[in-house]
Amino acid sequence: MISKEKVRRRALKTRDALAEEWRLETSRVIVEKLLDSEWYRQSEILLSYCSIRSEVETEEFHEKILADGKQLFLPRTNAGEKTMCFYKVEDLKKLKKGNFGVSEPRGSDAVEQVMESGAYSKEKILMVMPGVAFDEKGYRLGYGGGFYDRYLQRYGTLLTSVMIAFAEQEAWIIPVETCDVKPEHIVTQKTMIM
């Protein structure tokens, strides 16, 4: 069986080779599909990520979330414990570089307390996540830290999860382990996997 690391290396090489201008334009197409989705329209709380390297670009998406009057939460990681929590962001200029060179929020309003309170139904909370690769069965491969798998194991029943990716990131098969949790949906510029 093919290893996750081999699939990861191949997928990153493919994604990194995509021209920057093409990636930016295609990111807009992917984000538009997401903005047109019922998941986005129903949501009141958005958990997203700050894109790095060759990931689907999210800066304009975050500006749109705030302009639409929705609540935006971005992750802050604890690299030692391999965990993350999402904190409310009202000003994108106040993000600071954190672990892995990713911009992170500095606030103290954590979405996990809101989710555990039961004040919002699953349909009102939308998580948008990155990934390195995915397959036609909807399995996702990340960078190998397991941050999103652990998060979804704990909170996945309280939110709707969507991976956004370029169609070029599709792998023939993602090796799956029992600890892997696949997102409910995957959106690319070409398809939507439900």
Side-chain angles (χ1 to χ4, degrees):
M1 177 133 190
I2 191 166
S3 72
K4 280 187 174 183
E5 193 49 44
K6 190 169 184 178
V7 174
R8 186 177 290 115
R9 277 197 311 270
R10 187 180 302 148
L12 283 171
K13 185 176 180 182
T14 299
R15 194 182 73 187
D16 290 345
L18 299 171
E20 183 178 2
E21 188 175 314
W22 182 91
R23 274 192 290 106
L24 291 173
E25 187 54 41
T26 306
S27 291
R28 289 186 187 103
V29 172
I30 294 167
V31 166
E32 278 302 317
K33 285 178 78 171
L34 187 58
L35 293 172
D36 287 342
S37 73
E38 191 64 25
W39 319 308
Y40 181 78
R41 283 196 294 274
Q42 287 185 0
S43 68
E44 295 177 19
I45 293 177
L46 272 291
L47 282 61
S48 187
Y49 68 95
C50 289
S51 50
I52 57 170
R53 299 189 292 270
S54 56
E55 292 175 339
V56 172
E57 177 59 47
T58 56
E59 188 174 341
E60 290 178 12
F61 178 49
H62 296 160
E63 291 169 0
K64 176 68 172 155
I65 291 168
L66 294 174
D68 285 346
K70 296 178 185 277
Q71 298 179 63
L72 172 63
F73 291 79
L74 296 173
R76 193 161 70 216
T77 57
N78 181 324
E81 294 180 15
K82 290 195 171 187
T83 60
M84 64 182 176
C85 291
F86 286 76
Y87 294 90
K88 191 168 190 176
V89 174
E90 294 174 329
D91 185 348
L92 295 168
K93 293 182 179 80
K94 292 187 176 178
L95 300 175
K96 303 284 184 199
K97 290 286 183 200
N99 291 309
F100 315 110
V102 179
S103 295
E104 295 184 341
R106 293 289 149 221
S108 59
D109 294 335
V111 77
E112 291 76 21
Q113 297 162 346
V114 175
M115 287 194 293
E116 289 171 347
S117 74
Y120 291 87
S121 66
K122 175 182 174 69
E123 296 75 28
K124 300 293 183 188
I125 305 173
L126 177 62
M127 171 188 262
V128 177
M129 66 181 77
V132 172
F134 66 94
D135 66 19
E136 66 180 2
K137 293 182 180 176
Y139 287 103
R140 170 193 173 272
L141 183 66
Y143 291 100
F147 288 88
Y148 281 93
D149 291 315
R150 278 187 290 281
Y151 197 88
L152 289 175
Q153 284 169 0
R154 183 163 182 187
Y155 298 108
T157 60
L158 304 175
L159 52 79
T160 300
S161 56
V162 179
M163 174 187 173
I164 55 175
F166 302 112
E168 290 72 10
Q169 292 175 247
E170 185 171 358
W172 178 68
I173 191 168
I174 300 291
V176 179
E177 299 172 33
T178 55
C179 59
D180 294 330
V181 181
K182 65 182 185 177
E184 293 169 83
H185 313 284
I186 298 174
V187 176
T188 75
Q189 75 272 25
K190 295 180 180 178
T191 61
M192 295 175 91
I193 298 173
M194 312 294 220

